[in-house]
Amino acid sequence: MVSRLLTGLALLLFYFTYVRTSPVPCASSVYPDLLTVDVETLVAGLESGAWTSVDLVKAYTLRIHEVQSVLNTVTEINPDAISIAAALDAERANGTIRGPLHGIPLLIKNNIATMDKMNNTAGSYALLGAKVPRDSTVAAKLRAAGVVILGKSNLSQWANFRSSNSSSGWSAYGGQVTGAYYPNMDPSGSSSGSGVASSIGLALAALGTETDGSILSPSSVNNLVGIKPTVGLTSRSLVIPISEHQDTVGPMARTVTDAAYILSAIAGPDENDNYTLAQPLPVPDYTQALNFSSLRGARIGIPRNGIYGIDSSTQPILDAFESAISVIKAAGATVVDNTNFSAFNAYYADAIAPLGNESIVLDADFISNLAHYLDQLTANPNDVHSLADIARFTHTFAREDYPERDTAVWDQALSLGYNNTDARFWDAYQATSFFGGQGGVLGALEAFHLDALILPTDFAPGLPAYAGLPVVTVPMGFYPSNASVVRSANWNLVEIGPNIPFGLSFLGPKWSEEMLIGFAYAFEQRTHIREKVKPYIQPNTQLSDVILA
Ligand SMILES: *[C@@H]1O[C@H](CO)[C@@H](O)[C@H](O)[C@H]1NC(C)=O
Ligand SMILES: *[C@@H]1O[C@H](CO)[C@@H](O)[C@H](O)[C@H]1NC(C)=O
Ligand SMILES: *[C@@H]1O[C@H](CO)[C@@H](O)[C@H](O)[C@H]1NC(C)=O
Ligand SMILES: *[C@@H]1O[C@H](CO)[C@@H](O)[C@H](O)[C@H]1NC(C)=O
Ligand SMILES: *[C@@H]1O[C@H](CO)[C@@H](O)[C@H](O)[C@H]1NC(C)=O
Ligand SMILES: *[C@@H]1O[C@H](CO)[C@@H](O)[C@H](O)[C@H]1NC(C)=O
Ligand SMILES: *[C@@H]1O[C@H](CO)[C@@H](O)[C@H](O)[C@H]1NC(C)=O
Ligand SMILES: *[C@@H]1O[C@H](CO)[C@@H](O)[C@H](O)[C@H]1NC(C)=O
Ligand SMILES: *[C@@H]1O[C@H](CO)[C@@H](O)[C@H](O)[C@H]1NC(C)=O
Ligand SMILES: CC(=O)N[C@H]1CO[C@H](CO)[C@@H](O)[C@@H]1O
């Protein structure tokens, strides 16, 4: 403790002598603000001894508790986080550095299983107390990289694959997440807790999962960088599934740099998820793509027909998008307008149909993939083995809030009468692959000889989801202070309102994450839009409170 204090004092002295030029700060200003700190700053302090991983865990845990009653971002905190952090601090003191995230606390979405004291429930009481045979592969990779898994973040229950009339960010087990940019803000979903927690610094960052929008959309409204990787870049082994053809795990972080470090730690082949065996090797170090000039000479397309349903509330997004296009041109890119999706109308008809091809793919995959997940459990207190079992449990367990929140998605899947081994599934999958691929993103890239497409993130997720393609979203703007408040129909959450952020998406072909990260970084470094809007609520605890106490 004494030596820690001395290190702190030495750092203060250095700061006053060499860094600080204007008014004398209070002692706490030697520590970075956990609302905005990036991974490189946190690691520099771990290396210099200014703080430890245990300090970080204590500070972040206090921050979670400060805002939990309002924002409900976390379903559980890892009871072993302090001892894990202490062991990582000891390793560092002893010269063992596992990687660039050694000692850094992250949160993971509560559908990414860990074999420890934490539950993995997708927000359902049906899986409370269930046990897995090992960590999910992405959790194991985080631990191997020296990350402290601080806790599990709340989510739209079952990753938003249960109900037609529930709310984003609600789960039976975790309650309702709300966003930090406007009171009672819709946090979007389904990686809602990951988005809100990362945005206000309840950990360095978080992992989310996406089937169709669940990383991109909550990253957008919570003022974050989100990377939705190519399906098969990150393993889904022991992640509660929706669809093997569309699910993917990715980082939600405050900067492109932080997100790049985290993606490097979780990407890679895994025998337990054979989609990952198709990825090119070696796994890139995505931080090598952080190049300010990466838009120079790039060809970027705007598929205008992918922007639809415009009304007055959309105008601030479209205005910000036009400004973003100017930034991208000024950064040296050739921007090609009207690089439209050739099958957009057919895609759109499918997406809004009561039982479109995407619904068939997700329903049929869910029946098979959920059963496979449940089969792997080593403890299964509610004896659930199939979607039918989960539905029965949900219909009869009061805290699942049924029928107030229905199970329409499951009712439809169960009435389908087949799973993803059926020829009808294969037909539907061929259709979605075409709509997202040659009729969508890939067709536009090829026809206009483009490197990537851009869209406001509000319009970005669907086509890439259909075809398993990657997207990176980065802060682009936020609603003006006089924006009219729009609330959701059923649950009165604020969907549009003053200061609520929105993002810009870069879309590319399979395995193009390095390129997309480079473009997102070049845009972020020229705009710094995240810093222009502040949350209405944030925790007060800082590192000084745990170190100087
Ligand atoms: C420190 O490193 C040495 C040599 O690598 C190893 O034998 C020892 O177990 C380590 N101790 C701790 C506390 O990590
Ligand atoms: C996991 O759920 C059990 C109830 O089955 C609960 O007692 C326990 O506290 C939960 N674990 C954590 C870390 O919250
Ligand atoms: C993955 O494994 C499944 C089941 O073992 C098999 O049916 C499928 O063809 C494999 N897919 C790939 C891409 O290897
Ligand atoms: C950064 O990107 C520019 C434009 O593509 C390229 O010329 C340059 O070599 C890149 N720098 C590095 C360090 O890769
Ligand atoms: C592309 O789509 C936009 C918006 O629907 C439309 O106005 C434009 O005419 C289309 N351009 C081409 C070349 O199809
Ligand atoms: C599903 O895809 C097929 C083949 O492209 C198409 O004929 C059909 O209209 C699509 N279904 C819906 C509901 O759009
Ligand atoms: C999928 O359907 C096939 C054919 O009807 C059946 O044999 C298999 O048990 C089903 N699997 C699941 C998990 O429902
Ligand atoms: C959701 O739908 C169910 C079934 O139609 C209905 O009973 C319930 O009232 C609805 N809840 C809300 C909030 O609209
Ligand atoms: C907000 O202010 C801007 C600029 O003063 C104005 O153009 C816009 O119409 C206003 N919006 C609303 C919803 O009042
Ligand atoms: C860790 C934590 O605070 N969990 C809470 C999540 O929200 C539910 C429902 O509001 C609470 O019961 C948990 O205690």
Side-chain angles (χ1 to χ4, degrees):
M1 187 66 213
V2 172
S3 71
R4 288 254 315 287
L5 199 60
L6 286 177
T7 320
L9 288 173
L11 201 76
L12 262 178
L13 190 63
F14 170 83
Y15 190 75
F16 284 133
T17 313
Y18 299 104
V19 182
R20 191 83 199 178
T21 53
S22 54
V24 175
C26 62
S28 65
S29 65
V30 76
Y31 297 106
D33 186 347
L34 294 177
L35 179 71
T36 54
V37 70
D38 59 20
V39 67
E40 288 167 351
T41 305
L42 283 186
V43 168
L46 290 170
E47 281 173 355
S48 72
W51 51 80
T52 63
S53 182
V54 169
D55 295 330
L56 294 176
V57 166
K58 286 181 179 167
Y60 281 132
T61 304
L62 289 168
R63 287 171 72 84
I64 290 169
H65 286 309
E66 272 189 74
V67 293
Q68 181 69 6
S69 65
V70 179
L71 302 179
N72 242 340
T73 59
V74 163
T75 53
E76 45 208 275
I77 291 172
N78 187 349
D80 298 322
I82 294 271
S83 62
I84 291 168
L88 290 164
D89 285 334
E91 282 185 15
R92 182 182 288 281
N94 201 15
T96 303
I97 310 288
R98 297 188 187 199
L101 296 173
H102 188 110
I104 300 296
L106 298 181
L107 290 163
I108 65 176
K109 186 176 179 178
N110 196 345
N111 58 355
I112 301 173
T114 47
M115 193 178 71
D116 57 11
K117 293 180 186 140
M118 291 189 285
N119 294 289
N120 186 49
T121 62
S124 168
Y125 283 96
L127 291 178
L128 196 57
K131 298 282 175 221
V132 286
R134 58 181 185 279
D135 278 337
S136 60
T137 302
V138 288
K141 281 176 165 287
L142 288 180
R143 291 197 215 270
V147 166
V148 181
I149 299 177
L150 178 61
K152 294 289 191 82
S153 50
N154 201 358
L155 71 168
S156 312
Q157 198 186 27
W158 294 105
N160 198 29
F161 206 74
R162 163 185 155 176
S163 184
S164 66
N165 64 2
S166 187
S167 47
S168 283
W170 178 87
S171 71
Y173 181 57
Q176 176 68 56
V177 181
T178 62
Y181 289 88
Y182 196 86
N184 211 32
M185 175 185 149
D186 187 326
S188 187
S190 65
S191 308
S192 318
S194 296
V196 177
S198 180
S199 191
I200 58 170
L202 307 186
L204 173 77
L207 292 188
T209 66
E210 170 146 346
T211 306
D212 188 342
S214 281
I215 289 173
L216 295 173
S217 181
S219 294
S220 178
V221 308
N222 293 301
N223 207 16
L224 293 175
V225 174
I227 301 178
K228 181 251 171 172
T230 307
V231 170
L233 184 73
T234 52
S235 170
R236 292 80 49 84
S237 177
L238 291 172
V239 176
I240 298 175
I242 294 176
S243 161
E244 63 183 279
H245 293 90
Q246 293 192 196
D247 294 350
T248 186
V249 183
M252 301 168 70
R254 295 186 295 272
T255 66
V256 179
T257 302
D258 290 354
Y261 275 107
I262 295 166
L263 185 62
S264 298
I266 60 171
D270 173 16
E271 294 294 334
N272 291 314
D273 175 359
N274 64 4
Y275 287 62
T276 63
L277 305 181
Q279 69 186 272
L281 293 175
V283 177
D285 171 358
Y286 293 102
T287 66
Q288 296 299 309
L290 303 169
N291 177 347
F292 185 82
S293 303
S294 57
L295 281 164
R296 196 198 310 143
R299 282 178 60 84
I300 307 289
I302 307 172
R304 288 279 174 187
N305 67 341
I307 303 174
Y308 54 90
I310 304 302
D311 60 25
S312 60
S313 71
T314 328
Q315 199 54 49
I317 296 177
L318 299 184
D319 293 346
F321 185 57
E322 293 308 316
S323 303
I325 293 167
S326 304
V327 170
I328 289 168
K329 285 181 180 163
T334 300
V335 174
V336 186
D337 211 340
N338 287 312
T339 64
N340 291 354
F341 298 124
S342 64
F344 187 79
N345 292 344
Y347 154 78
Y348 188 73
D350 188 79
I352 63 172
L355 186 60
N357 291 291
E358 190 198 34
S359 301
I360 293 172
V361 169
L362 301 186
D363 289 352
D365 264 349
F366 189 58
I367 290 170
S368 300
N369 297 162
L370 178 67
H372 177 61
Y373 178 83
L374 298 172
D375 270 355
Q376 295 174 83
L377 297 177
T378 53
N380 188 343
N382 294 306
D383 203 26
V384 284
H385 299 279
S386 65
L387 177 56
D389 290 348
I390 297 273
R392 252 191 310 278
F393 178 92
T394 302
H395 291 160
T396 52
F397 192 81
R399 294 176 79 175
E400 290 288 324
D401 208 14
Y402 178 86
E404 184 64 0
R405 300 180 195 250
D406 66 26
T407 55
V409 175
W410 298 348
D411 304 344
Q412 179 186 278
L414 290 167
S415 69
L416 201 59
Y418 57 86
N419 62 37
N420 68 4
T421 61
D422 191 277
R424 286 163 288 182
F425 164 84
W426 189 246
D427 290 343
Y429 178 60
Q430 294 307 305
T432 56
S433 300
F434 171 76
F435 292 150
Q438 287 306 315
V441 177
L442 299 179
L445 292 172
E446 285 163 24
F448 299 94
H449 310 291
L450 302 168
D451 296 304
L453 305 176
I454 50 171
L455 281 172
T457 300
D458 290 67
F459 303 99
L463 288 159
Y466 275 39
L469 303 174
V471 184
V472 177
T473 181
V474 61
M476 177 173 80
F478 46 91
Y479 279 95
S481 55
N482 67 346
S484 310
V485 169
V486 176
R487 291 170 192 273
S488 63
N490 285 334
W491 300 99
N492 218 30
L493 295 170
V494 174
E495 292 178 331
I496 294 174
N499 295 330
I500 293 183
F502 43 75
L504 170 71
S505 280
F506 291 88
L507 291 65
K510 278 193 175 186
W511 323 119
S512 67
E513 285 81 1
E514 273 177 289
M515 180 186 71
L516 300 178
I517 286 168
F519 294 162
Y521 180 79
F523 180 79
E524 173 198 55
Q525 294 302 307
R526 283 170 174 77
T527 53
H528 295 286
I529 287 158
R530 174 178 161 81
E531 296 155 29
K532 295 180 181 156
V533 58
K534 297 290 173 214
Y536 84 91
I537 177 175
Q538 58 170 294
N540 295 312
T541 302
Q542 294 290 353
L543 277 168
S544 55
D545 297 304
V546 298
I547 295 174
L548 303 176

